[in-house]
Amino acid sequence: MPWNKEDYPDSLKNFTAPVRNKAIEIANVLLDEGYEEGRALAIATAQAKEWGENHDKQIRKKNH
């Protein structure tokens, strides 16, 4: 099932929007390539974190 900005796994809820959106984008590509959801999400999360670090993005939301 493809994810989007409004409908995404709970595991992404604490990421900032740019990193979460990148993870969603990567995960959807992996799903299209035949990856299982859990594996696609794990790979996408790791790659989105790395993308965020390389682009000086805040990775996780600040706790209130």
Side-chain angles (χ1 to χ4, degrees):
M1 171 190 144
W3 294 296
N4 59 52
K5 293 177 184 180
E6 290 79 38
D7 181 25
Y8 52 84
D10 284 342
S11 62
L12 299 178
K13 70 179 181 185
N14 292 322
F15 289 100
T16 59
V19 175
R20 181 177 57 245
N21 292 340
K22 181 57 76 171
I24 292 167
E25 176 186 329
I26 294 167
N28 285 335
V29 169
L30 294 172
L31 289 175
D32 286 346
E33 292 178 357
Y35 281 78
E36 178 266 327
E37 277 192 13
R39 185 77 180 124
L41 190 57
I43 293 168
T45 301
Q47 289 184 353
K49 285 182 194 176
E50 185 176 330
W51 172 85
E53 290 164 0
N54 290 338
H55 290 84
D56 294 323
K57 303 284 185 195
Q58 181 179 325
I59 305 299
R60 296 193 180 270
K61 293 178 183 176
K62 296 198 185 296
N63 290 334
H64 299 236

